[in-house]
Amino acid sequence: MTDTRQKLIEATAETLRKDGIAGLSARSVAARAEVNQALVFYHFGTMPELIQAATRAAVDENVIYYREQFAQIGSLRELLEVGRELHDREHTTGNIAVMAQLLAGAQQDLLLAEAGRYAMARWCEQIEAVVRRLMEDSPLAGVVDPAGLASMISAVFVGLELYDGVDPVGSRAALDAVERLVVLVDVVDDLGPVASRALRSRLKKASAAR
């Protein structure tokens, strides 16, 4: 990646954090990057393409940052703890503000919507790998769809992050409620073999009846 291209990507992310998507333009990004405005279109063609590139770069960097921690997670409770750490870090770095602006712009722009899907897919991929590993010996195995659960966890996390911007107390209460659900899953996982088989059978029957 050329130095100018990297400057434009970093300036785009910073502009989204500070000024929102309404303040994002080729002129504002070029000024923040301290380069000629024409270079925006030379390197990226359009502003949505630049925003897409900046989003992908930020998500890829974060996934790499957390990959080792995800690989070491041994329970849903540990997954929640990593989620809390991610929550705090993403607020500090301003990445939540970028995601909020991206989701707002995605309603009207296909390229931004594609960038949003890419971001969610990258996180879902990491979380699904954790969920599949944790579900292997659980009574919930065969009943819970790991891909669907990973998508739900990602959607809840993004929702809570955006919610936190308008009601931090409510957001924390919701996260605490998620933690209580995790405790329930831990209790299920600690059931003995007879109870586990009985629960698995009941869950499969209930699932088949839907």
Side-chain angles (χ1 to χ4, degrees), residues 99 103 120-121 123-124 127 147-163:
M99 177 61 79
L103 293 177
M120 292 299 291
W123 285 116
C124 286
I127 295 172
L149 181 57
S151 294
M152 185 196 77
I153 291 172
S154 299
V156 167
F157 181 78
V158 171
L160 286 174
E161 294 302 315
L162 299 180
Y163 185 22

Short mmCIF file of all heavy atoms in Angstrom, two decimals, residues 99 103 120-121 123-124 127 147-163:
data_model
loop_
_atom_site.label_atom_id
_atom_site.label_comp_id
_atom_site.label_asym_id
_atom_site.label_seq_id
_atom_site.Cartn_x
_atom_site.Cartn_y
_atom_site.Cartn_z
N MET A 99 -18.49 2.52 12.96
CA MET A 99 -19.50 1.54 12.60
C MET A 99 -20.89 2.16 12.57
O MET A 99 -21.70 1.87 11.68
CB MET A 99 -19.46 0.38 13.60
CG MET A 99 -20.53 -0.69 13.36
SD MET A 99 -20.39 -1.49 11.73
CE MET A 99 -19.05 -2.64 12.07
N LEU A 103 -23.25 2.20 9.27
CA LEU A 103 -24.58 1.61 9.21
C LEU A 103 -25.62 2.66 8.79
O LEU A 103 -26.58 2.34 8.08
CB LEU A 103 -24.95 1.02 10.57
CG LEU A 103 -24.12 -0.20 11.00
CD1 LEU A 103 -24.54 -0.66 12.40
CD2 LEU A 103 -24.29 -1.34 10.00
N MET A 120 -19.39 -7.39 9.42
CA MET A 120 -20.13 -8.37 10.21
C MET A 120 -19.66 -9.79 9.92
O MET A 120 -19.54 -10.62 10.82
CB MET A 120 -21.62 -8.23 9.93
CG MET A 120 -22.24 -6.94 10.44
SD MET A 120 -22.12 -6.76 12.24
CE MET A 120 -23.24 -8.05 12.79
N ALA A 121 -19.39 -10.08 8.66
CA ALA A 121 -18.95 -11.42 8.27
C ALA A 121 -17.62 -11.78 8.91
O ALA A 121 -17.41 -12.92 9.36
CB ALA A 121 -18.86 -11.53 6.75
N TRP A 123 -16.37 -10.67 11.78
CA TRP A 123 -16.57 -10.95 13.19
C TRP A 123 -17.32 -12.26 13.40
O TRP A 123 -16.99 -13.04 14.29
CB TRP A 123 -17.33 -9.80 13.86
CG TRP A 123 -16.48 -8.59 14.09
CD1 TRP A 123 -16.62 -7.34 13.55
CD2 TRP A 123 -15.32 -8.50 14.93
NE1 TRP A 123 -15.63 -6.50 13.99
CE2 TRP A 123 -14.82 -7.18 14.84
CE3 TRP A 123 -14.65 -9.42 15.75
CZ2 TRP A 123 -13.69 -6.75 15.54
CZ3 TRP A 123 -13.51 -8.99 16.44
CH2 TRP A 123 -13.06 -7.67 16.33
N CYS A 124 -18.34 -12.50 12.57
CA CYS A 124 -19.11 -13.74 12.69
C CYS A 124 -18.23 -14.96 12.47
O CYS A 124 -18.39 -15.99 13.14
CB CYS A 124 -20.27 -13.75 11.69
SG CYS A 124 -21.64 -12.67 12.14
N ILE A 127 -16.30 -15.56 15.71
CA ILE A 127 -17.16 -16.00 16.81
C ILE A 127 -17.72 -17.40 16.54
O ILE A 127 -17.82 -18.22 17.45
CB ILE A 127 -18.31 -14.99 17.01
CG1 ILE A 127 -17.73 -13.65 17.47
CG2 ILE A 127 -19.32 -15.51 18.03
CD1 ILE A 127 -18.72 -12.53 17.53
N ALA A 147 -23.53 -21.14 13.33
CA ALA A 147 -23.48 -19.97 12.44
C ALA A 147 -24.57 -18.96 12.82
O ALA A 147 -24.32 -17.75 12.88
CB ALA A 147 -23.64 -20.41 10.99
N GLY A 148 -25.76 -19.48 13.09
CA GLY A 148 -26.85 -18.58 13.48
C GLY A 148 -26.59 -17.92 14.81
O GLY A 148 -26.87 -16.72 14.98
N LEU A 149 -26.04 -18.69 15.77
CA LEU A 149 -25.74 -18.12 17.08
C LEU A 149 -24.65 -17.07 16.97
O LEU A 149 -24.70 -16.02 17.63
CB LEU A 149 -25.31 -19.23 18.05
CG LEU A 149 -24.98 -18.79 19.47
CD1 LEU A 149 -26.15 -18.05 20.11
CD2 LEU A 149 -24.58 -20.00 20.33
N ALA A 150 -23.64 -17.33 16.13
CA ALA A 150 -22.57 -16.35 15.93
C ALA A 150 -23.12 -15.05 15.35
O ALA A 150 -22.73 -13.95 15.76
CB ALA A 150 -21.50 -16.93 15.01
N SER A 151 -24.05 -15.17 14.40
CA SER A 151 -24.67 -13.98 13.81
C SER A 151 -25.48 -13.22 14.85
O SER A 151 -25.46 -11.98 14.90
CB SER A 151 -25.57 -14.38 12.64
OG SER A 151 -24.81 -14.92 11.58
N MET A 152 -26.19 -13.97 15.71
CA MET A 152 -26.98 -13.32 16.75
C MET A 152 -26.08 -12.58 17.74
O MET A 152 -26.36 -11.43 18.11
CB MET A 152 -27.81 -14.36 17.50
CG MET A 152 -28.77 -13.74 18.52
SD MET A 152 -29.42 -14.95 19.69
CE MET A 152 -28.01 -15.14 20.78
N ILE A 153 -24.98 -13.23 18.15
CA ILE A 153 -24.05 -12.60 19.09
C ILE A 153 -23.47 -11.32 18.49
O ILE A 153 -23.39 -10.29 19.15
CB ILE A 153 -22.92 -13.58 19.47
CG1 ILE A 153 -23.49 -14.72 20.31
CG2 ILE A 153 -21.82 -12.85 20.23
CD1 ILE A 153 -22.48 -15.84 20.57
N SER A 154 -23.08 -11.39 17.22
CA SER A 154 -22.51 -10.22 16.55
C SER A 154 -23.54 -9.09 16.46
O SER A 154 -23.22 -7.92 16.71
CB SER A 154 -22.02 -10.60 15.15
OG SER A 154 -21.01 -11.57 15.20
N ALA A 155 -24.78 -9.45 16.10
CA ALA A 155 -25.83 -8.44 15.97
C ALA A 155 -26.15 -7.80 17.31
O ALA A 155 -26.33 -6.58 17.41
CB ALA A 155 -27.09 -9.07 15.37
N VAL A 156 -26.20 -8.63 18.36
CA VAL A 156 -26.46 -8.10 19.71
C VAL A 156 -25.33 -7.16 20.12
O VAL A 156 -25.57 -6.09 20.68
CB VAL A 156 -26.60 -9.26 20.72
CG1 VAL A 156 -26.55 -8.73 22.14
CG2 VAL A 156 -27.91 -10.01 20.48
N PHE A 157 -24.09 -7.56 19.84
CA PHE A 157 -22.95 -6.74 20.23
C PHE A 157 -23.01 -5.38 19.54
O PHE A 157 -22.83 -4.33 20.18
CB PHE A 157 -21.65 -7.46 19.89
CG PHE A 157 -20.43 -6.68 20.28
CD1 PHE A 157 -20.00 -6.63 21.59
CD2 PHE A 157 -19.72 -5.96 19.33
CE1 PHE A 157 -18.89 -5.90 21.96
CE2 PHE A 157 -18.60 -5.22 19.68
CZ PHE A 157 -18.18 -5.20 21.00
N VAL A 158 -23.24 -5.38 18.22
CA VAL A 158 -23.31 -4.12 17.48
C VAL A 158 -24.45 -3.26 18.02
O VAL A 158 -24.31 -2.05 18.22
CB VAL A 158 -23.48 -4.37 15.97
CG1 VAL A 158 -23.78 -3.06 15.25
CG2 VAL A 158 -22.23 -4.99 15.39
N GLY A 159 -25.61 -3.91 18.26
CA GLY A 159 -26.75 -3.18 18.79
C GLY A 159 -26.45 -2.54 20.13
O GLY A 159 -26.79 -1.38 20.38
N LEU A 160 -25.78 -3.30 21.00
CA LEU A 160 -25.43 -2.77 22.32
C LEU A 160 -24.43 -1.62 22.21
O LEU A 160 -24.51 -0.65 22.96
CB LEU A 160 -24.84 -3.88 23.19
CG LEU A 160 -25.83 -4.91 23.74
CD1 LEU A 160 -25.09 -6.02 24.46
CD2 LEU A 160 -26.83 -4.25 24.67
N GLU A 161 -23.50 -1.74 21.27
CA GLU A 161 -22.52 -0.69 21.09
C GLU A 161 -23.19 0.61 20.66
O GLU A 161 -22.86 1.70 21.15
CB GLU A 161 -21.48 -1.11 20.06
CG GLU A 161 -20.60 -2.27 20.47
CD GLU A 161 -19.85 -2.00 21.75
OE1 GLU A 161 -19.30 -0.90 21.90
OE2 GLU A 161 -19.82 -2.88 22.61
N LEU A 162 -24.14 0.51 19.74
CA LEU A 162 -24.85 1.71 19.28
C LEU A 162 -25.77 2.25 20.38
O LEU A 162 -25.90 3.46 20.56
CB LEU A 162 -25.65 1.38 18.02
CG LEU A 162 -24.83 0.91 16.81
CD1 LEU A 162 -25.75 0.63 15.63
CD2 LEU A 162 -23.79 1.94 16.43
N TYR A 163 -26.40 1.33 21.11
CA TYR A 163 -27.27 1.69 22.23
C TYR A 163 -26.49 2.44 23.29
O TYR A 163 -26.99 3.39 23.91
CB TYR A 163 -27.88 0.41 22.79
CG TYR A 163 -28.91 0.57 23.88
CD1 TYR A 163 -29.61 1.76 24.06
CD2 TYR A 163 -29.19 -0.48 24.75
CE1 TYR A 163 -30.56 1.89 25.06
CE2 TYR A 163 -30.12 -0.37 25.74
CZ TYR A 163 -30.81 0.82 25.90
OH TYR A 163 -31.74 0.93 26.89
#
